[in-house]
């Protein structure tokens, strides 16, 4: 693992298996970047507790699931450092220090927090939930990450991390490294139910671990153009979810599919079958790698333990510097 390369840090909450939306928005980019950057992948089990503290058993099971999702798409454990958030002492310590440098009002106005509050239907929120972006700043800075590949919903959090770093350095001297967000170039994936977002908590996902039959079935049940009732009716590809998926997962055929849809030369059933096939072709190699790791769970555990050890070593050094800068070392 080359120490001279720039460092990437990103990760996922361990609240369930990852889906195609995660793949196009984030995982596919990680795979591309892993050769060029020293890549850290965080299994965010502490952040998962902010919304799922009543179901810790789901969180611990999901640590394996999320690790396997990442491994299955082709992240190479020889190149990438996988680690478990709750094992990293520096993250907990830095979270406490950073919490002095951010006001409650700033946290309250975070647009992603606001969206999530609505999405989960909270009428009150915990201190931990309100403060998770502070903990996320610790995730990012403990290892001096340069780049944070994320979807646009995470931008407010990266911005907060950057502000915290600047504030810290201003107050205590140049100590922390300022990270930058790296936005995914792929648009957000809609849910097959027509929802603007494929979401773990929205029940509309195609999971990376779904078998071929499940994927075909989910595609078969997807909503399409509501104005197209009979096969001879001309379709409106611009308002069809399946068509949007063709654009992402079947780019070479996309244009001709639009034409055939508009002129009623292809029906929704055939169009969906075609898409399901393309999705299954994409997912097949992931399924194969996943099957290997399912059978070698101990290897997955080793990967996480080894990565966490490395992360702790790096984190210790950062905390030492932070404490020195803050004059709280004897
Ligand atoms: N908040 C991210 C999500 O919900 C997960 C996450 C936790 C993360 N810590 C991070 C992402 C640090 C990037 C960097 O998906």
């Amino acid at each position: 693992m080359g120490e001279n390369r720039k460092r990437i840090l990103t990760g996922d909450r361990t609240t369930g298996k990852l889906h195609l939306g995660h793949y196009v928005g984030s995982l596919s980019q990680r795979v591309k970047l892993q050769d060029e950057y020293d890549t850290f992948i965080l299994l965010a089990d502490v952040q998962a507790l902010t919304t799922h503290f009543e179901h810790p058993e789901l969180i611990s099971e999901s640590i394996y699931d999320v690790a396997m999702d990442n491994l299955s798409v082709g992240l190479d454990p020889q190149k990438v450092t996988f680690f478990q958030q709750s094992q990293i002492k520096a993250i907990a310590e830095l979270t406490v220090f950073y919490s002095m440098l951010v006001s409650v009002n700033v946290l309250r106005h975070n647009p992603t927090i606001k969206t999530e509050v609505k999405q989960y239907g909270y009428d009150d929120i915990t201190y931990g939930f309100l403060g998770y972006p502070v903990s996320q700043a610790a995730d990012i800075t403990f290892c001096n990450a340069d780049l944070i590949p994320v979807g646009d919903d995470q931008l407010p959090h990266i911005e907060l991390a950057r502000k915290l770093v600047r504030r810290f350095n201003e107050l205590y001297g140049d100590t922390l490294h300022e990270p930058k967000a790296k936005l995914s170039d792929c648009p957000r994936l809609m849910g097959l139910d027509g929802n603007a977002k494929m979401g773990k908590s929205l029940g509309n996902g195609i999971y990376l671990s779904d078998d071929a039959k499940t994927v075909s079935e989910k595609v078969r049940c997807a909503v399409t153009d509501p104005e197209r009732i009979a096969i001879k009716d001309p379709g409106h590809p611009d308002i069809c979810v399946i068509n949007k998926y063709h654009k992402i997962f079947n780019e070479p055929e996309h244009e001709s599919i639009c034409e055939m849809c508009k002129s009623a030369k292809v029906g929704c059933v055939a169009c969906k079958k075609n898409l399901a096939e393309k999705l299954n072709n994409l997912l097949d190699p992931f399924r194969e790698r996943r099957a290997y790791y399912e059978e070698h769970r101990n290897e997955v555990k080793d990967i996480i333990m080894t990565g966490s050890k490395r992360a702790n070593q790096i984190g210790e050094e950062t905390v030492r510097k932070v404490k020195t800068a803050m004059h709280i070392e004897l």
Side-chain angles (χ1 to χ4, degrees), residues 9-13 22 42 44 47 85 116 132 135-136 139-140 148-150 153-154 157-158:
L9 178 132
T10 190
D12 313 283
R13 288 184 195 176
H22 294 113
L42 165 77
Q47 195 173 113
Q85 192 180 25
E116 287 172 340
Y132 89 70
S135 160
Q136 188 156 329
D139 299 339
I140 292 169
I148 320 297
V150 281
D153 60 319
Q154 298 296 305
H157 302 340
I158 313 302

Side-chain angles (χ1 to χ4, degrees), residues 28-319:
S28 58
Q29 181 164 239
R30 297 176 194 176
V31 176
K32 280 191 213 135
L33 296 170
Q34 66 179 332
D35 291 311
E36 196 183 332
Y37 293 89
D38 185 17
T39 301
F40 277 61
I41 304 287
L42 165 77
L43 303 162
D45 58 347
V46 179
Q47 195 173 113
L49 281 169
T50 63
T51 51
H52 289 64
F53 58 91
E54 287 168 308
H55 305 284
E57 68 295 336
L58 176 135
I59 295 175
S60 56
E61 184 53 32
S62 300
I63 292 169
Y64 280 97
D65 282 331
V66 172
M68 282 195 252
D69 284 324
N70 275 281
L71 290 163
S72 75
V73 299
L75 281 161
D76 180 348
Q78 302 292 333
K79 293 180 192 152
V80 171
T81 303
F82 284 96
F83 67 102
Q84 183 186 353
Q85 192 180 25
S86 61
Q87 286 197 48
I88 314 307
K89 292 194 200 78
I91 294 178
E93 291 183 70
L94 294 175
T95 303
V96 175
F97 296 140
Y98 296 168
S99 70
M100 317 305 162
L101 309 181
V102 58
S103 78
V104 171
N105 268 340
V106 163
L107 294 173
R108 271 206 199 116
H109 290 123
N110 181 306
T112 300
I113 292 277
K114 284 192 194 168
T115 309
E116 287 172 340
V117 166
K118 268 199 214 128
Q119 186 187 317
Y120 287 106
Y122 293 149
D123 49 13
D124 194 8
I125 51 175
T126 64
Y127 167 61
F129 179 80
L130 180 69
Y132 89 70
V134 180
S135 160
Q136 188 156 329
D139 299 339
I140 292 169
T141 52
F142 90 90
C143 65
N144 308 308
D146 298 291
L147 277 189
I148 320 297
V150 281
D152 56 3
D153 60 319
Q154 298 296 305
L155 287 181
H157 302 340
I158 313 302
E159 204 38 52
L160 176 73
R162 288 164 58 81
K163 281 201 181 118
L164 279 169
V165 166
R166 289 200 290 264
R167 183 92 181 103
F168 188 101
N169 289 346
E170 220 174 74
L171 282 168
Y172 309 117
D174 212 4
T175 311
L176 296 167
H177 184 66
E178 193 172 323
K180 278 203 190 84
K182 184 168 172 50
L183 261 188
S184 132
D185 34 47
C186 192
R188 185 172 291 291
L189 190 63
M190 288 183 84
L192 282 174
D193 55 355
N195 193 301
K197 187 178 167 189
M198 182 176 280
K200 262 191 247 180
S201 50
L202 301 171
N204 61 357
I206 292 187
Y207 290 88
L208 299 172
S209 47
D210 279 346
D211 61 26
K213 226 174 119 199
T214 307
V215 170
S216 301
E217 193 52 23
K218 285 183 177 174
V219 173
R220 194 182 68 80
C221 296
V223 296
T224 51
D225 172 2
E227 281 174 43
R228 194 170 182 203
I229 296 154
I231 194 164
K232 60 178 191 329
D233 298 337
H236 304 87
D238 44 318
I239 58 160
C240 176
V241 182
I242 293 293
N243 190 273
K244 290 196 170 48
Y245 273 59
H246 275 293
K247 172 124 183 70
I248 298 172
F249 298 103
N250 188 15
E251 174 69 35
E253 284 182 54
H254 179 246
E255 234 169 83
S256 76
I257 288 172
C258 288
E259 284 318 308
M260 293 202 302
C261 174
K262 281 192 241 172
S263 55
K265 284 194 193 110
V266 65
C268 295
V269 174
C271 190
K272 283 176 165 180
K273 267 202 183 137
N274 182 5
L275 177 68
E277 201 181 293
K278 298 297 179 311
L279 293 180
N280 280 325
N281 288 345
L282 171 73
L283 294 173
D284 271 341
F286 304 172
R287 292 176 180 133
E288 227 169 275
R289 277 191 219 106
R290 183 180 208 95
Y292 171 85
Y293 286 112
E294 295 273 9
E295 270 176 39
H296 298 82
R297 257 174 97 93
N298 273 342
E299 226 173 276
V300 179
K301 186 172 179 180
D302 276 353
I303 290 168
I304 300 169
M305 298 304 279
T306 308
S308 298
K309 196 167 157 202
R310 178 174 184 227
N312 263 323
Q313 282 162 356
I314 294 167
E316 262 170 41
E317 178 71 5
T318 307
V319 167

